[in-house]
Amino acid sequence: MKFTKMQGLGNDYVYVNCFKEKIDNPPEVAKIVSDRHFGIGSDGLIMINPSKVADFEMEMYNADGSRGEMCGNGIRCVAKYVYDYGLTDKTHISVETLGGIKYLDLTVKDGKVALVRVDMGEPELDPEKIPIIMKGYSDESDRVLNAQIKVDGKEYHMTGVSMGNPHDVVYIDDVQGLDIEKIGPKFENHERFPQRINTEFARVIDRKTVEMRVWERGSGETLACGTGACAVAVASILNGYTEREVEIRLLGGNLQIEWNEEDNHVYMTGPATVVFDGEIEL
């Protein structure tokens, strides 16, 4: 199977052009290629497919083989792949995902895509649609805004957002010193998250800057998460911490996020990079 390894701020996936390749068992292939000792090494597998409703389809699987709805860093790399490898000559494209159709604007320099701006659509704040269980809890409401949650015997406050996939944003004082390997799985598999959850641990630096680390459902800690950065921006605005345009600082680099007041859409701008092309025998 021919593949291209790509990364967006260190959030790396194995990309397969399924206009040419055929994958019979994507969940199993995802587990094989993601292994950093016996495989290629990645946060998952992304298949670039034909689509009947958009220019392309992004079909993604996490490192544990579970299907993912959407990945902000991943979709930027899809945009770079389809342009740089000649599948399109358009600089405005649409990509079908399980989280809906996304629209992307490509900035091209010297014939290659350098930056991608993604219209991530409207954030979903309804607890039932994220989904986060609120019924039966003291802070039951129509939004998960600074809601209490007890994890591993400790009280936290979370803000819930879906960007096509479920997120809970938790503000803490020390992001860098957090033992995320210990607490991340406890959040991911908590009883209040019926489809598991992506958890962003965030700290507000100022009105235009937030730092975060992320524990991704099915992949563990990653260097960056585009949908997670969008969720942090939305949560920070909802809580009154930041302006509507904010820089999100992740371990792998920075993303510019805007929650547009007029159309209610979230826009994410960031880089995408090819690491290498290769071929693996499965």
Side-chain angles (χ1 to χ4, degrees):
M1 179 185 78
K2 292 182 178 179
F3 68 88
T4 300
K5 180 168 174 173
M6 304 181 74
Q7 57 92 4
L9 302 185
N11 192 192
D12 59 341
Y13 287 87
V14 170
Y15 293 78
V16 178
N17 178 356
C18 288
F19 286 78
K20 294 182 177 180
E21 301 284 339
K22 186 175 185 297
I23 298 178
D24 293 324
N25 189 347
E28 194 59 34
V29 171
K31 288 189 268 187
I32 292 169
V33 301
S34 297
D35 192 295
R36 297 188 184 275
H37 298 287
F38 297 99
I40 298 162
S42 68
D43 293 324
L45 169 72
I46 291 180
M47 300 158 61
I48 301 172
N49 302 327
S51 171
K52 294 181 179 179
V53 296
D55 294 318
F56 303 95
E57 182 196 19
M58 178 178 86
E59 182 180 348
M60 69 165 291
Y61 295 85
N62 298 310
D64 66 355
S66 61
R67 183 82 185 265
E69 296 96 337
M70 172 58 190
C71 172
N73 293 310
I75 202 170
R76 292 201 315 277
C77 290
V78 168
K80 180 173 176 64
Y81 184 98
V82 298
Y83 187 92
D84 288 8
Y85 287 79
L87 275 66
T88 186
D89 60 0
K90 297 195 296 184
T91 55
H92 178 77
I93 64 169
S94 57
V95 178
E96 176 189 1
T97 76
L98 276 186
I101 297 175
K102 307 300 178 186
Y103 298 90
L104 300 85
D105 291 299
L106 287 56
T107 299
V108 178
K109 293 182 180 178
D110 300 322
K112 303 285 186 182
V113 171
L115 281 176
V116 180
R117 184 175 189 257
V118 186
D119 180 350
M120 301 288 284
E122 297 187 48
E124 178 60 67
L125 305 176
D126 184 335
E128 291 187 0
K129 295 180 180 177
I130 295 175
I132 295 176
I133 296 171
M134 298 295 285
K135 190 174 183 179
Y137 289 87
S138 59
D139 49 12
E140 182 178 341
S141 68
D142 60 353
R143 283 190 178 182
V144 188
L145 185 60
N146 201 32
Q148 288 188 340
I149 182 171
K150 182 175 280 190
V151 180
D152 202 25
K154 184 178 177 181
E155 289 282 352
Y156 296 88
H157 289 83
M158 64 174 172
T159 297
V161 181
S162 173
M163 293 302 309
N165 56 356
H167 295 269
D168 72 313
V169 180
V170 177
Y171 294 92
I172 60 175
D173 293 330
D174 183 10
V175 169
Q176 300 306 322
L178 176 70
D179 188 355
I180 199 169
E181 294 286 340
K182 179 183 178 183
I183 196 64
K186 301 286 180 67
F187 271 92
E188 178 182 354
N189 298 292
H190 195 279
E191 61 183 11
R192 295 186 70 173
F193 309 127
Q195 295 179 15
R196 296 188 294 163
I197 202 85
N198 302 288
T199 302
E200 287 74 39
F201 299 95
R203 182 178 74 90
V204 177
I205 296 173
D206 56 42
R207 295 285 299 171
K208 293 187 176 182
T209 318
V210 182
E211 68 168 337
M212 62 168 270
R213 287 172 69 188
V214 58
W215 183 268
E216 289 200 52
R217 175 184 61 166
S219 292
E221 183 175 27
T222 60
L223 293 179
C225 175
T227 55
C230 292
V232 167
V234 169
S236 298
I237 294 161
L238 286 173
N239 282 287
Y241 299 149
T242 65
E243 309 295 337
R244 296 192 78 92
E245 292 186 42
V246 59
E247 179 179 87
I248 305 296
R249 296 181 179 176
L250 307 102
L251 293 181
N254 303 334
L255 289 171
Q256 304 301 319
I257 311 294
E258 175 194 358
W259 186 11
N260 189 285
E261 198 164 10
E262 292 183 4
D263 63 9
N264 197 39
H265 284 218
V266 178
Y267 295 88
M268 172 192 64
T269 303
T273 304
V274 173
V275 182
F276 62 86
D277 297 303
E279 191 168 349
I280 186 172
E281 188 172 328
L282 297 171

